[in-house]
Amino acid sequence: MDDNTSFDRRTFMRGALAVAALAPIGGALASCATGGSSSAPTSTGGGTPAGNVSAKNPFGMAKTGTIDAVIFNGGYGIDYVNYAAKVMQKTFPDVTAKISPSTKIAQELQPRFVSGNPPDLVDDSGANKIGYNAILGQIEDLQEIIEAKNLEGTTIQDTLYPGVLDVGKFGDKLAAINYAMTVYGIWYSGSLFDQHGWKPPKTWDEAMDLGKQAKKEDKYLFLWGKEAATYYQKLTVASAIKQGGDEVRLALGNLKPKCWSHPAVQGVFKALEAVIKAGYMKPGGAGTQFTRAQAQWSNAQQALLYPSGSWIENEMKDQTKKGFKMMGSPAMTLDTDAAMPATALHREAAEAYIVPSQGKNPAGGKELLRTMLSKDAASNFAKTRLASTIVQGTVPPDGYGSTALQSQMSMLDAAGKDVFGFQFSDIYGMGTDQLVLWNSFLGGNSSVKELTSGLQQITDKVANDDSIEKHKVT
C-alpha cells in the first residue's frame, strides 16, 4: 500500500513514448548485460541474447555482474525476492542482486524510464504503480520465461494455476507475470465469531443483520483506512459480478460507457450505502493511516469484517490479537438469485513483474523471475508470506499453521471453476483518483450518484485516451 500521492500519468506516458521514439532501429541504445568482460552478450530487448545460453542459463545472463530489481514494499514485503536471489546465487555465485524496496513505483521510476536507465526487474504494484500498459514498447515479452524449465526441471507454464497469465497479456505479448495468487474476500476472526455464534454473511442483507449484532457488542461491521479505501471498490465490484455475471465484469473491464450504472453495481453500492447510513462503518477512516485502521480490526477488534486480499495476514502479523484465528469468506451477493453461487470467488494473480528492455541486465531480470517461479522459492513465499503464488502445489494441507492460508485454499477448493478476476483499475493506474471518491463515500460525505458519476468520469477519461493501449477483457 501507499499514501494518496498524485501521479501525472500523461506526463509519464509522454516521457516513455519519447524514449521509445528516440531508440534507433535494432535497439542500439540497449545496454550490455552487466559482466566482467567485453564479451558479455548484449540484449536488444528482442529476446534472449546469443551467448551463454544453456539449460541452467536459458536467457544467457552474464555470469558476473549485478541485477537491479525494484520491488513494491507492500503487504508481502521484499524478503521473498531476497530469498530467490540467494537461491539463484547457488548457480551464479558471481552475480549480485540489488533488491530495492519502493512504495512509489511510478514516481521513483519515471525519471529512470525517461532517461533510458530503468531497473532490470520491477514489481509494478501498489496504489502508485506505473500501469505497465503505458510502457508496452519498453518492456520485454516474458513468454520465454514461462516456456523455460524451472529449477526443478519442469516447464514453468505447466506448473501454474489456470488463467493466471491472462491479465498480463496485451495482444500476443506477455507483458507482465503476476506472481502472487491473491484471494479476495471479507476477513474475520474465527475465534470471535465462534464465541458469539456468528457466521460470515453470504448476502448484503445478512451483513446488515450482522451489523446489528455488532452494534449490540459495541463494535462496528466494517472500518477502513485512507490509503485502502479502494478495498471497498474491490469488494463491491466482486459482489456485483457475482450478482450480475460476466456482463458486469466485461463492461467494467472493457471501460464501457455507463458501466458503473449497471443495476448489479448500483444495487451493491446502495447496499454499502445502507451500511454506512446505519452507522455500521467505523467513522474517521479518511484520516487514519491504513495499517492503523487495520489494527483496529485485527488487534483491538473494533470491527467484525475487513475486505482485503490474502496479503492481510502477513501485513498485520505483528498487530493481530493472539488467538485471532484469521479466516476469509467470499464477497457477498445481493440475494440468493445471483448469477454466481455464494462460493464463487474473486481470485487473481497480483504483484505484476515486468522486465524493462533498456535495463542494463534484462537477462538477469528474467533469470531472477524464473528463480522466483521455482517450487523452492514459491514454497518459501507461501510459508513466510502466508499466501500462495501462481505456482501450484506449494501449500500443504495445514497451511503452515496459518488459519488464513487454510481458509484461502478452502475457498479456492469450494469455488472450483467459479472464479473470476478484474484488474482494470490496476492496469490503467486509476487507483489514486479513485481513492478520493471512496474516502468521501465511506465517510458518508457523498452519495451513490456522486460515487457513480466520479468513477465513470475516471473510466471514460482512460477509455477516450487513444495514447493508452487497451487490454481487451474476454
Side-chain angles (χ1 to χ4, degrees):
M1 282 297 305
D2 191 16
D3 60 15
N4 191 13
T5 305
S6 63
F7 168 58
D8 189 342
R9 180 177 173 77
R10 286 176 177 268
T11 299
F12 181 88
M13 290 180 64
R14 284 196 295 269
L17 291 171
V19 171
L22 287 172
I25 295 173
L29 287 183
S31 302
C32 294
T34 304
S37 71
S38 61
S39 62
T42 59
S43 171
T44 64
T48 299
N52 291 336
V53 174
S54 67
K56 291 185 177 181
N57 188 11
F59 315 121
M61 179 181 70
K63 294 182 180 180
T64 61
T66 301
I67 301 169
D68 181 5
V70 176
I71 308 302
F72 174 61
N73 191 20
Y76 297 127
I78 68 168
D79 288 348
Y80 69 98
V81 186
N82 284 318
Y83 178 90
K86 291 178 181 178
V87 172
M88 185 189 68
Q89 285 185 312
K90 295 177 182 178
T91 304
F92 302 98
D94 296 321
V95 174
T96 301
K98 176 188 174 186
I99 312 297
S100 303
S102 173
T103 56
K104 295 179 172 64
I105 297 293
Q107 290 91 334
E108 292 179 6
L109 296 188
Q110 176 184 1
R112 295 190 60 180
F113 271 96
V114 172
S115 65
N117 182 38
D120 305 312
L121 182 65
V122 178
D123 175 13
D124 185 29
S125 302
N128 288 276
K129 64 177 68 66
I130 296 168
Y132 51 85
N133 67 302
I135 52 171
L136 281 178
Q138 295 188 78
I139 56 180
E140 294 281 275
D141 188 335
L142 304 183
Q143 185 68 27
E144 64 178 334
I145 294 181
I146 66 163
E147 291 177 355
K149 304 277 189 185
N150 63 12
L151 301 188
E152 294 78 28
T154 304
T155 302
I156 288 175
Q157 62 187 352
D158 294 337
T159 70
L160 308 180
Y161 282 100
V164 294
L165 298 174
D166 292 347
V167 71
K169 291 180 179 178
F170 284 77
D172 294 331
K173 183 172 187 175
L174 181 58
I177 293 177
N178 290 264
Y179 185 67
M181 172 58 80
T182 303
V183 174
Y184 289 91
I186 49 173
W187 301 86
Y188 62 97
S189 165
S191 56
L192 182 65
F193 272 52
D194 288 345
Q195 178 186 339
H196 292 278
W198 295 330
K199 294 182 179 180
K202 294 181 179 179
T203 67
W204 281 93
D205 284 344
E206 290 179 7
M208 284 291 287
D209 290 340
L210 186 59
K212 294 177 184 177
Q213 298 301 316
K215 194 170 186 178
K216 291 178 182 178
E217 300 296 327
D218 198 25
K219 297 180 184 295
Y220 294 95
L221 180 65
F222 288 118
L223 52 68
W224 90 101
K226 60 182 178 180
E227 301 94 343
T230 48
Y231 286 9
Y232 284 87
Q233 178 170 293
K234 291 278 192 182
L235 173 63
T236 51
V237 169
S239 292
I241 290 172
K242 289 178 68 169
Q243 185 68 33
D246 261 357
E247 65 180 60
V248 178
R249 180 180 63 84
L250 295 174
L252 290 167
N254 290 314
L255 313 178
K256 295 298 183 182
K258 298 183 179 180
C259 56
W260 292 101
S261 296
H262 189 284
V265 176
Q266 290 295 293
V268 175
F269 280 0
K270 290 174 182 177
L272 178 56
E273 185 179 51
V275 168
I276 296 166
K277 287 183 175 180
Y280 299 158
M281 177 72 72
K282 188 178 187 299
T288 306
Q289 194 271 342
F290 82 103
T291 54
R292 291 182 180 177
Q294 289 172 181
Q296 294 170 357
W297 162 73
S298 62
N299 198 27
Q301 295 190 307
Q302 295 175 8
L304 270 56
L305 304 175
Y306 188 69
S308 178
S310 47
W311 62 78
I312 185 66
E313 183 181 28
N314 182 69
E315 189 168 62
M316 301 307 296
K317 62 184 178 182
D318 296 328
Q319 299 183 72
T320 298
K321 185 176 180 179
K322 186 177 180 180
F324 189 82
K325 288 180 61 179
M326 192 179 293
M327 303 180 75
S329 183
M332 301 84 73
T333 57
L334 285 174
D335 53 52
T336 55
D337 293 327
M340 302 183 76
T343 53
L345 185 64
H346 174 200
R347 73 100 167 106
E348 58 192 38
E351 304 298 316
Y353 277 82
I354 60 175
V355 175
S357 297
Q358 293 192 41
K360 293 180 179 178
N361 191 2
K366 293 176 184 178
E367 182 59 33
L368 180 54
L369 187 50
R370 181 177 81 102
T371 305
M372 290 169 61
L373 291 165
S374 68
K375 186 173 182 180
D376 183 353
S379 296
N380 172 74
F381 180 94
K383 183 177 182 179
T384 60
R385 306 300 94 182
L386 305 176
S388 178
T389 67
I390 60 173
V391 181
Q392 300 187 74
T394 59
V395 179
D398 68 354
Y400 297 109
S402 163
T403 57
L405 188 49
Q406 292 171 28
S407 184
Q408 292 169 48
M409 305 315 290
S410 294
M411 284 190 282
L412 284 167
D413 288 343
K417 295 182 179 180
D418 293 317
V419 293
F420 59 90
F422 53 89
Q423 291 192 338
F424 55 89
S425 178
D426 298 333
I427 289 172
Y428 299 111
M430 300 177 182
T432 300
D433 293 334
Q434 292 169 336
L435 272 173
V436 178
L437 299 176
W438 280 99
N439 272 299
S440 177
F441 182 72
L442 296 174
N445 299 314
S446 63
S447 65
V448 167
K449 183 178 180 180
E450 290 168 316
L451 175 65
T452 303
S453 176
L455 291 172
Q456 193 64 57
Q457 287 178 26
I458 294 169
T459 301
D460 290 346
K461 182 179 179 181
V462 174
N464 296 328
D465 190 337
D466 292 337
S467 70
I468 299 176
E469 184 83 16
K470 304 304 189 295
H471 179 86
K472 183 172 179 56
V473 178
T474 57

